[in-house]
Amino acid sequence: MRRGTFRDDTVDYAAVGATHAPDLMQYPPERSIPAEDSWRLGSGEERFRTAGDALLSWTAQRAAGLTVEDLRPASGPAYTGVAFDPDGNAVAPSKREVEQRFDADGTPFAGPGMTLHLRGRVAGMRADAELRVISVTDEVRRVGLVLGTVGGSVVSGEELFEITWSEDNDEVWFTVRAFDAPNSLVYRLLPFLIRRRRKELFARYLRAISPLYATPL
C-alpha cells in the first residue's frame, strides 16, 4: 500500500484535502462550486490495473487535450504527511519508501508534493495553471491522486481522480470530484461558466480513461 499527502503553503486555497470529504457536494469550501461524477469502466483486476496506471501517468490530463509540462518532484526529503481513508478521515500514512515509476516516455508517475504546469483550452477559454499533487493513493483496490492549484489559474481548488475495484461485484469505477472557486473576473461575474468548464473537463477525463472511447494521440 502506498498513500501520501503533501501539504505546504504554496497552494492558493485553504481547504486542502476537501475533495476527500464525503459531504463535499453538500458543504463545499467557501465561495467554491463542487462537482462529482462516476463512470463504470468494466470489471476485473486487469481493467483496474490498466486504468490505475493510466491515471497515475497523467493520461486523464494529456488525453483530455491538456499539455503536462515542467513535472518536478517535491523539494527536499520525501514527505507523506496525512493520508485519508475512503470516508475522508485522516489516517497515518505508510512509512515504506516507494521507487519512482516512469511511463514509456520517461515521464514520472504522480507522487505527493510533485508540481506541474498544465496548458490548453477548456470550454473555449485558456487553461494555464501550476498545480501540486496533494495526495496519491496506490492500494490493492484503489488508486488515485488529488491535484491542487498553486497559482495562475482562472479558478482555484482541487481535483480528485480515483479508480476503485469492488470486492463485492468485481466492477471498476472511475470517479472525479472537484471544487472550483473563481479567480478571474469573468468567472466571478458568470459562475455558470465554471459549471460548463467542469462539465467539459469531466467528459474529457472519461474519454481519456474509459475503454469505451478511443483515446486521442
Side-chain angles (χ1 to χ4, degrees), residues 39 64 198-208 213:
W39 308 272
R198 178 54 57 189
K199 182 178 180 180
E200 180 173 325
L201 276 171
F202 276 16
R204 291 188 189 187
Y205 295 150
L206 173 60
R207 292 188 181 95
Y213 291 89

Side-chain angles (χ1 to χ4, degrees), residues 69-85:
E69 302 175 345
D70 197 21
L71 281 164
R72 290 166 288 164
S75 58
Y79 173 68
T80 56
V82 178
F84 301 86
D85 67 14

Side-chain angles (χ1 to χ4, degrees), residues 11-91:
V11 294
D12 60 2
Y13 62 99
V16 177
T19 49
H20 285 283
D23 58 356
L24 171 69
M25 297 302 293
Q26 290 74 35
Y27 303 102
E30 187 177 3
R31 298 191 312 106
S32 68
I33 297 175
E36 179 180 34
D37 214 337
S38 295
W39 308 272
R40 183 179 179 273
L41 300 181
S43 60
E45 183 176 2
E46 182 177 355
R47 176 64 63 210
F48 169 72
R49 295 196 182 284
T50 299
D53 282 352
L55 184 65
L56 295 184
S57 60
W58 312 105
T59 295
Q61 290 75 27
R62 295 191 291 189
L66 301 173
T67 301
V68 179
E69 302 175 345
D70 197 21
L71 281 164
R72 290 166 288 164
S75 58
Y79 173 68
T80 56
V82 178
F84 301 86
D85 67 14
D87 296 323
N89 300 310
V91 297

Side-chain angles (χ1 to χ4, degrees), residues 82-164:
V82 178
F84 301 86
D85 67 14
D87 296 323
N89 300 310
V91 297
S94 169
K95 300 298 184 181
R96 182 168 60 90
E97 292 294 329
V98 177
E99 184 179 355
Q100 176 67 64
R101 299 169 65 195
F102 298 85
D103 68 11
D105 297 327
T107 302
F109 277 39
M114 181 178 287
T115 56
L116 60 144
H117 206 107
L118 282 185
R119 300 182 192 276
R121 297 190 70 81
V122 181
M125 297 188 70
R126 182 173 60 93
D128 186 350
E130 187 173 359
L131 303 173
R132 185 175 295 278
V133 180
I134 302 300
S135 66
V136 171
T137 302
D138 192 353
E139 299 177 353
V140 174
R141 290 184 177 267
R142 190 157 65 106
V143 171
L145 73 151
V146 173
L147 297 176
T149 55
V150 174
S153 177
V154 292
V155 297
S156 60
E158 278 187 1
E159 288 182 302
L160 176 149
F161 304 84
E162 192 167 76
I163 308 290
T164 55

